[in-house]
Amino acid sequence: MSYRPKHHLTAPQGRLNDPNGMMLLSDELHVFYQHDPSFPAQPKRTGWGHAVTTLGSGVWRHLPDALYPGVSYDENGCYSGSGVVDDGQIRLFYTGNVKRNGKRLTSQNIVDVDDIDGPMGGTYRRRGTNPAIGGPAEGYTAHYRDPHVTQAPDGTWRMVLGAQRDNGTGAAVLYTSDDLDTWQFAGEIEFAGLNYNVASAYMWECPNLLQMRDQATGEMRDVFVFCPQFPDSDECGYVVGKLEGLRFKVERDFTPLDYGSEFYAPQLISGNNRGALMLGWMGLPARDDTPTFPAEGWVHQLTLVRELLLIDGHLATALQIPDAHDMLVERVALGDAPWAADLVAEGEHTCATVTWRPDGKGRGTVLVDVGGRIRWAECAAGELVLTADGAAVECTAGDGEVAFSFAVFAPGGAQWSALTPQ
């Protein structure tokens, strides 16, 4: 028995966190991730792990780690970033982290990648001209990280960074480039109409900025995903609207991307003409105390690959469940009648409860209770999909209107047996 999932990406050993550098090459999805292979025996020195899957297979192949701290501008960590394929050339962008004399220094750096399809998973060469961005712009602290690079509608390139202002509040800043090599600071993005309390967050981490076509209206919209950090909590959500210059006109206010208790730092890439592909970290900062370590030598996992569609201004989630899989998959049609079921592991252990409370008007509330960790969300009636794979439990409801991610540890790593109606 083991807690390690079959179809969710985990590190072979050590600590995994944010997905990084996602790129789709034909039907092969390459994913890098924050990796501390010697956790917790040595001080944290995060690099980038590397794995690849054929879309729809549910099978991950591990490759040698791509980056490890080793030069003056990243000696304390190769932090999160993204990947770009341009005319066959692959570049990675990441934040270098340095801590000297109690002071943090951050920079944004470029890595050229060759032979990514080779047996060793590629060669990775830091630019001799690094750092590409040597430090924060004036008015911001060294909490300045996680570059997400995409192509703008006019063919130029844009890099969005999570930032912290000198006054201790969070923000997002934008850089632009004509060639992916030289970057100019454009300024801070202004979110007009953002009413949620993210304005009080002390840092905005892991930003994603991309365009998506609304499947209901046919119009192109900008989607901005980010993780505002508060003194007592960390959140993850998105806004939808139109970015013109540095002004983002918000049409849909901040909405959670996932309502579970373990979801953070997602990365999105354009998956096809319809939507985006996403992976999220099924973990949270400073939440490393799990039954998988030291017993099994690894900590944390990523979600299943998810397809996101923008429908009438809202992101809908579809879990990519392989046709041939070795995990529990349950589908339930939720309607006008109340419903509840227990997630049961071998040995008749009830490890979670899912409840549907309809409102009689075609909508209702889904509640998921994992050992007293209760999360809930309102959604339309429709299909509920639940997967349980080792310690990774994911659920969507309302035909994908809402999603939940939980780390659930059945006693002794027992296998999942059923979602049993009460």
Coordinates of all heavy atoms in Angstrom, one line a residue, residues 17-24 29-34 48 79-84 91-94 146-150 160 206-210 225-227 236 257 263-270 276-281 302-308:
N17 N 6.9 21.5 -5.5 CA 5.8 22.5 -5.4 C 5.5 23.0 -6.7 O 5.1 22.2 -7.6 CB 6.1 23.5 -4.3 CG 7.4 24.3 -4.4 OD1 8.4 23.7 -4.3 ND2 7.3 25.6 -4.6
D18 N 5.5 24.3 -7.0 CA 4.9 24.9 -8.2 C 5.2 24.2 -9.5 O 6.4 23.9 -9.8 CB 5.3 26.3 -8.3 CG 5.1 27.2 -7.1 OD1 4.8 26.6 -6.0 OD2 5.4 28.4 -7.2
P19 N 4.2 24.0 -10.4 CA 4.5 23.6 -11.8 C 5.1 24.8 -12.5 O 4.7 25.9 -12.3 CB 3.1 23.2 -12.3 CG 2.2 24.0 -11.5 CD 2.8 24.1 -10.1
N20 N 6.1 24.5 -13.3 CA 6.8 25.6 -14.1 C 7.0 25.2 -15.5 O 7.0 24.0 -15.9 CB 8.2 25.8 -13.5 CG 8.2 26.2 -12.0 OD1 9.2 25.9 -11.3 ND2 7.2 27.0 -11.6
G21 N 7.3 26.1 -16.4 CA 7.8 25.9 -17.7 C 6.9 24.9 -18.6 O 7.5 24.2 -19.4
M22 N 5.6 24.9 -18.3 CA 4.8 24.0 -19.1 C 4.9 24.3 -20.6 O 4.8 25.5 -21.0 CB 3.3 24.1 -18.7 CG 3.0 23.4 -17.4 SD 1.3 23.6 -16.9 CE 0.4 22.9 -18.3
M23 N 5.0 23.3 -21.4 CA 4.9 23.5 -22.9 C 4.4 22.2 -23.6 O 4.7 21.1 -23.1 CB 6.3 23.9 -23.4 CG 7.4 22.8 -23.2 SD 9.0 23.5 -23.7 CE 9.3 24.7 -22.4
L24 N 3.6 22.4 -24.6 CA 3.0 21.4 -25.4 C 3.8 21.2 -26.7 O 3.7 22.2 -27.5 CB 1.5 21.6 -25.6 CG 0.7 20.5 -26.2 CD1 0.7 19.3 -25.3 CD2 -0.7 21.0 -26.4
L29 N 3.3 16.8 -23.3 CA 3.3 17.9 -22.4 C 4.5 17.8 -21.5 O 4.6 16.8 -20.7 CB 2.0 17.8 -21.6 CG 1.8 19.0 -20.5 CD1 1.7 20.3 -21.2 CD2 0.6 18.7 -19.6
H30 N 5.4 18.7 -21.6 CA 6.6 18.8 -20.7 C 6.2 19.7 -19.6 O 5.7 20.8 -19.7 CB 7.8 19.4 -21.5 CG 8.4 18.4 -22.5 ND1 9.5 17.7 -22.2 CD2 8.0 18.0 -23.7 CE1 9.8 16.9 -23.2 NE2 8.9 17.1 -24.2
V31 N 6.5 19.2 -18.4 CA 6.3 20.0 -17.2 C 7.5 20.0 -16.3 O 8.1 19.0 -16.0 CB 5.1 19.4 -16.4 CG1 4.9 20.1 -15.1 CG2 3.8 19.3 -17.2
F32 N 7.9 21.2 -15.9 CA 9.0 21.3 -14.9 C 8.3 21.7 -13.6 O 7.1 22.1 -13.6 CB 9.9 22.4 -15.4 CG 10.6 22.2 -16.7 CD1 9.9 22.6 -17.9 CD2 11.8 21.5 -16.8 CE1 10.5 22.3 -19.1 CE2 12.4 21.3 -18.0 CZ 11.7 21.7 -19.2
Y33 N 9.0 21.5 -12.5 CA 8.4 21.8 -11.2 C 9.4 22.1 -10.2 O 10.6 21.7 -10.3 CB 7.5 20.6 -10.7 CG 8.3 19.3 -10.6 CD1 8.9 19.0 -9.5 CD2 8.3 18.4 -11.7 CE1 9.6 17.8 -9.4 CE2 9.0 17.2 -11.6 CZ 9.7 16.9 -10.5 OH 10.4 15.7 -10.4
Q34 N 9.1 22.9 -9.2 CA 10.0 23.3 -8.1 C 10.3 22.0 -7.4 O 9.4 21.3 -6.9 CB 9.3 24.3 -7.2 CG 9.0 25.6 -7.8 CD 10.2 26.5 -7.9 OE1 10.6 27.2 -6.9 NE2 10.9 26.5 -9.0
W48 N 14.6 22.9 -10.6 CA 13.5 22.5 -11.4 C 13.6 21.0 -11.8 O 14.6 20.6 -12.4 CB 13.5 23.3 -12.7 CG 13.0 24.7 -12.6 CD1 13.0 25.5 -11.5 CD2 12.4 25.5 -13.7 NE1 12.4 26.7 -11.8 CE2 12.0 26.7 -13.1 CE3 12.1 25.2 -15.0 CZ2 11.4 27.7 -13.9 CZ3 11.4 26.2 -15.8 CH2 11.1 27.4 -15.2
Y79 N 13.8 29.8 -8.7 CA 12.3 29.8 -8.4 C 11.5 29.8 -9.6 O 12.0 29.6 -10.8 CB 12.1 31.1 -7.6 CG 12.4 31.0 -6.1 CD1 13.2 29.9 -5.6 CD2 12.0 31.9 -5.2 CE1 13.5 29.8 -4.3 CE2 12.3 31.8 -3.8 CZ 13.0 30.7 -3.4 OH 13.3 30.6 -2.0
S80 N 10.2 29.9 -9.5 CA 9.2 29.6 -10.5 C 9.3 30.5 -11.8 O 9.9 31.6 -11.7 CB 7.8 29.7 -10.0 OG 7.5 28.7 -9.1
G81 N 8.8 29.9 -12.9 CA 8.8 30.7 -14.1 C 8.1 29.9 -15.2 O 7.3 29.0 -14.9
S82 N 8.3 30.2 -16.4 CA 7.5 29.7 -17.5 C 8.4 29.3 -18.7 O 9.7 29.5 -18.7 CB 6.5 30.7 -18.0 OG 7.1 31.9 -18.4
G83 N 7.8 28.7 -19.7 CA 8.6 28.3 -20.9 C 7.9 28.8 -22.2 O 6.7 29.0 -22.2
V84 N 8.7 29.0 -23.2 CA 8.2 29.6 -24.5 C 8.8 28.8 -25.6 O 10.1 28.5 -25.6 CB 8.5 31.1 -24.6 CG1 8.2 31.5 -26.0 CG2 7.7 31.9 -23.6
R91 N 12.9 28.4 -24.7 CA 13.5 29.2 -23.7 C 12.7 29.0 -22.4 O 11.5 28.9 -22.4 CB 13.5 30.7 -24.0 CG 14.3 31.2 -25.2 CD 14.0 32.7 -25.4 NE 14.8 33.2 -26.5 CZ 14.4 33.3 -27.8 NH1 13.2 32.7 -28.1 NH2 15.1 33.8 -28.7
L92 N 13.4 29.0 -21.3 CA 12.8 29.0 -20.0 C 13.1 30.3 -19.3 O 14.2 30.9 -19.5 CB 13.4 27.8 -19.1 CG 13.2 26.4 -19.6 CD1 13.8 25.4 -18.6 CD2 11.7 26.1 -19.9
F93 N 12.2 30.8 -18.5 CA 12.4 32.1 -17.8 C 12.1 31.7 -16.3 O 11.1 31.1 -16.0 CB 11.3 33.1 -18.2 CG 11.5 33.5 -19.7 CD1 11.0 32.8 -20.7 CD2 12.3 34.7 -20.0 CE1 11.1 33.1 -22.0 CE2 12.4 35.0 -21.3 CZ 11.9 34.3 -22.4
Y94 N 13.0 32.1 -15.4 CA 12.8 31.8 -14.0 C 13.4 32.9 -13.1 O 14.2 33.7 -13.6 CB 13.5 30.5 -13.7 CG 15.0 30.5 -13.6 CD1 15.7 30.7 -12.4 CD2 15.8 30.4 -14.7 CE1 17.1 30.7 -12.3 CE2 17.2 30.5 -14.7 CZ 17.8 30.6 -13.4 OH 19.2 30.7 -13.3
D146 N 8.4 35.0 -10.4 CA 7.5 34.1 -11.1 C 7.1 34.6 -12.5 O 6.0 34.8 -12.8 CB 6.2 33.8 -10.3 CG 6.5 33.4 -8.9 OD1 7.6 32.9 -8.6 OD2 5.7 33.6 -8.0
P147 N 8.1 34.8 -13.4 CA 7.8 35.3 -14.8 C 6.9 34.4 -15.6 O 7.2 33.2 -15.7 CB 9.2 35.5 -15.4 CG 10.0 34.5 -14.7 CD 9.5 34.5 -13.3
H148 N 5.8 34.9 -16.1 CA 4.9 34.2 -17.0 C 5.0 34.9 -18.3 O 4.6 36.1 -18.4 CB 3.5 34.1 -16.5 CG 2.6 33.2 -17.3 ND1 1.7 33.7 -18.2 CD2 2.5 31.9 -17.3 CE1 1.0 32.7 -18.7 NE2 1.5 31.6 -18.2
V149 N 5.5 34.3 -19.4 CA 5.7 34.9 -20.7 C 4.7 34.4 -21.7 O 4.6 33.1 -21.9 CB 7.1 34.7 -21.1 CG1 7.4 35.3 -22.5 CG2 8.1 35.3 -20.1
T150 N 4.0 35.3 -22.4 CA 3.1 34.9 -23.5 C 3.2 35.9 -24.6 O 3.8 37.0 -24.4 CB 1.7 34.8 -23.0 OG1 1.3 36.0 -22.4 CG2 1.4 33.7 -22.0
V160 N 4.6 38.9 -17.3 CA 4.0 39.4 -16.1 C 4.7 38.8 -14.9 O 5.1 37.6 -14.9 CB 2.5 39.1 -16.0 CG1 2.2 37.6 -16.0 CG2 1.8 39.8 -14.8
C206 N 2.8 33.9 -8.5 CA 2.5 33.0 -9.6 C 1.4 33.5 -10.6 O 0.4 32.9 -10.8 CB 2.0 31.6 -9.0 SG 3.2 30.9 -7.9
P207 N 1.6 34.7 -11.1 CA 0.7 35.3 -12.1 C 0.7 34.5 -13.4 O 1.7 34.0 -13.9 CB 1.1 36.7 -12.2 CG 2.6 36.7 -12.0 CD 2.8 35.6 -11.0
N208 N -0.5 34.4 -14.0 CA -0.6 33.9 -15.4 C -1.5 34.9 -16.2 O -2.5 35.3 -15.7 CB -1.3 32.6 -15.4 CG -0.5 31.4 -14.9 OD1 -0.1 30.5 -15.5 ND2 -0.4 31.4 -13.5
L209 N -1.0 35.3 -17.4 CA -1.8 36.2 -18.2 C -1.9 35.6 -19.6 O -0.9 35.4 -20.2 CB -1.1 37.6 -18.2 CG -1.8 38.6 -19.1 CD1 -3.2 39.0 -18.7 CD2 -0.9 39.9 -19.2
L210 N -3.1 35.3 -20.0 CA -3.3 34.8 -21.4 C -4.6 35.2 -21.9 O -5.6 35.5 -21.2 CB -3.1 33.3 -21.5 CG -4.1 32.4 -20.8 CD1 -3.9 30.9 -21.3 CD2 -4.0 32.4 -19.3
V225 N -4.7 35.0 -13.8 CA -4.7 34.1 -12.7 C -3.6 34.5 -11.7 O -2.5 34.7 -12.2 CB -4.6 32.6 -13.1 CG1 -4.5 31.7 -12.0 CG2 -5.7 32.2 -14.1
F226 N -3.8 34.5 -10.4 CA -2.8 34.9 -9.5 C -3.1 34.3 -8.1 O -4.2 33.9 -7.8 CB -2.5 36.4 -9.5 CG -3.7 37.2 -9.0 CD1 -3.6 37.9 -7.8 CD2 -4.9 37.3 -9.7 CE1 -4.6 38.7 -7.4 CE2 -5.9 38.1 -9.3 CZ -5.8 38.8 -8.1
C227 N -2.1 34.4 -7.2 CA -2.2 33.9 -5.9 C -1.9 35.0 -4.8 O -0.8 35.2 -4.5 CB -1.3 32.7 -5.7 SG -1.6 31.3 -6.7
C236 N -6.0 31.5 -4.4 CA -5.7 31.4 -5.8 C -7.0 31.7 -6.6 O -8.0 31.0 -6.3 CB -5.1 30.1 -6.1 SG -4.8 29.9 -7.9
L257 N -10.2 29.7 -8.3 CA -10.0 28.7 -9.4 C -10.3 27.3 -8.9 O -10.6 26.5 -9.7 CB -8.6 28.9 -9.9 CG -8.2 28.2 -11.2 CD1 -9.2 28.6 -12.4 CD2 -6.8 28.5 -11.6
F263 N -4.6 23.6 -3.1 CA -4.5 24.0 -4.4 C -3.8 25.4 -4.4 O -4.3 26.3 -3.8 CB -5.9 24.2 -5.1 CG -5.8 24.6 -6.6 CD1 -5.6 23.6 -7.6 CD2 -5.8 25.9 -7.0 CE1 -5.5 23.9 -8.9 CE2 -5.7 26.3 -8.3 CZ -5.5 25.3 -9.3
Y264 N -2.7 25.5 -5.2 CA -2.0 26.7 -5.3 C -1.1 26.8 -6.5 O -0.8 25.7 -7.1 CB -1.1 26.8 -4.0 CG -0.6 28.2 -3.7 CD1 -1.5 29.2 -3.2 CD2 0.7 28.5 -3.8 CE1 -1.0 30.5 -2.9 CE2 1.2 29.8 -3.5 CZ 0.3 30.8 -3.0 OH 0.7 32.1 -2.7
A265 N -0.6 28.0 -6.8 CA 0.4 28.2 -7.8 C 0.2 27.4 -9.2 O 1.1 26.8 -9.7 CB 1.8 27.7 -7.3
P266 N -1.0 27.6 -9.8 CA -1.2 26.9 -11.0 C -0.4 27.5 -12.2 O -0.1 28.7 -12.1 CB -2.7 27.1 -11.2 CG -3.0 28.4 -10.6 CD -2.1 28.4 -9.4
Q267 N -0.2 26.8 -13.2 CA 0.3 27.3 -14.5 C -0.6 26.9 -15.6 O -1.1 25.8 -15.7 CB 1.7 26.9 -14.7 CG 2.3 27.6 -15.9 CD 3.8 27.6 -15.9 OE1 4.5 26.9 -16.6 NE2 4.4 28.5 -15.1
L268 N -0.9 27.9 -16.5 CA -1.7 27.8 -17.6 C -1.0 28.0 -18.9 O -0.1 28.9 -19.0 CB -2.9 28.8 -17.6 CG -4.0 28.5 -16.6 CD1 -3.6 28.8 -15.2 CD2 -5.2 29.4 -16.9
I269 N -1.3 27.2 -19.9 CA -0.8 27.5 -21.3 C -2.0 27.3 -22.3 O -2.9 26.6 -22.0 CB 0.3 26.5 -21.7 CG1 -0.1 25.0 -21.6 CG2 1.6 26.7 -20.8 CD1 0.9 24.1 -22.2
S270 N -1.9 27.9 -23.4 CA -2.9 27.7 -24.4 C -2.8 26.3 -24.9 O -1.7 25.8 -25.3 CB -2.7 28.7 -25.6 OG -2.9 30.0 -25.2
A276 N -7.5 26.4 -22.5 CA -6.1 26.3 -21.9 C -6.0 25.0 -21.1 O -6.9 24.4 -20.7 CB -5.9 27.5 -20.9
L277 N -4.7 24.6 -21.0 CA -4.3 23.5 -20.2 C -3.7 24.0 -18.9 O -3.0 25.0 -18.9 CB -3.4 22.6 -20.9 CG -3.8 21.9 -22.2 CD1 -2.7 21.1 -22.8 CD2 -5.1 21.1 -21.9
M278 N -4.0 23.3 -17.8 CA -3.5 23.8 -16.5 C -3.1 22.7 -15.6 O -3.7 21.6 -15.6 CB -4.7 24.6 -15.8 CG -4.2 25.2 -14.4 SD -5.6 25.8 -13.5 CE -6.3 24.3 -12.8
L279 N -2.1 22.9 -14.8 CA -1.7 22.0 -13.7 C -1.6 22.9 -12.5 O -1.1 24.1 -12.6 CB -0.3 21.3 -14.0 CG -0.4 20.1 -14.9 CD1 1.1 19.8 -15.3 CD2 -1.0 18.9 -14.2
G280 N -2.0 22.4 -11.3 CA -1.9 23.1 -10.1 C -1.1 22.3 -9.1 O -1.0 21.1 -9.2
W281 N -0.5 23.0 -8.1 CA 0.2 22.3 -7.0 C -0.9 21.9 -6.0 O -1.6 22.8 -5.4 CB 1.2 23.3 -6.4 CG 1.9 22.8 -5.2 CD1 2.2 21.5 -4.8 CD2 2.4 23.6 -4.1 NE1 2.8 21.5 -3.6 CE2 3.0 22.7 -3.1 CE3 2.4 25.0 -3.8 CZ2 3.5 23.2 -2.0 CZ3 2.9 25.4 -2.7 CH2 3.5 24.5 -1.7
L302 N 1.0 17.1 -8.0 CA 0.3 18.1 -8.9 C -1.1 17.5 -9.2 O -1.3 16.3 -9.1 CB 1.1 18.3 -10.2 CG 2.5 19.0 -10.0 CD1 3.0 19.3 -11.4 CD2 2.4 20.2 -9.2
T303 N -2.0 18.4 -9.6 CA -3.3 17.9 -10.1 C -3.2 17.1 -11.3 O -2.2 17.1 -12.0 CB -4.2 19.1 -10.4 OG1 -3.7 19.9 -11.5 CG2 -4.4 20.0 -9.2
L304 N -4.3 16.5 -11.7 CA -4.4 16.0 -13.1 C -4.3 17.2 -14.0 O -4.6 18.3 -13.7 CB -5.8 15.3 -13.3 CG -6.1 14.0 -12.6 CD1 -7.5 13.6 -12.7 CD2 -5.1 12.9 -13.1
V305 N -3.9 16.9 -15.3 CA -4.0 17.9 -16.3 C -5.5 18.3 -16.4 O -6.4 17.5 -16.4 CB -3.5 17.4 -17.6 CG1 -3.7 18.5 -18.7 CG2 -2.0 17.0 -17.5
R306 N -5.7 19.6 -16.4 CA -7.1 20.1 -16.5 C -7.2 21.0 -17.8 O -6.3 21.7 -18.1 CB -7.5 21.0 -15.3 CG -7.5 20.2 -14.0 CD -7.9 21.1 -12.8 NE -7.9 20.4 -11.6 CZ -8.3 21.0 -10.4 NH1 -8.7 22.2 -10.4 NH2 -8.3 20.3 -9.3
E307 N -8.4 20.9 -18.5 CA -8.7 21.8 -19.6 C -9.6 22.8 -19.0 O -10.7 22.5 -18.4 CB -9.3 21.0 -20.7 CG -9.6 22.0 -21.9 CD -10.2 21.3 -23.1 OE1 -10.7 20.1 -22.9 OE2 -10.3 21.9 -24.2
L308 N -9.3 24.1 -19.3 CA -10.1 25.2 -18.9 C -10.8 25.8 -20.1 O -10.1 26.1 -21.1 CB -9.3 26.2 -18.1 CG -8.5 25.8 -16.9 CD1 -7.8 27.0 -16.3 CD2 -9.5 25.2 -15.9

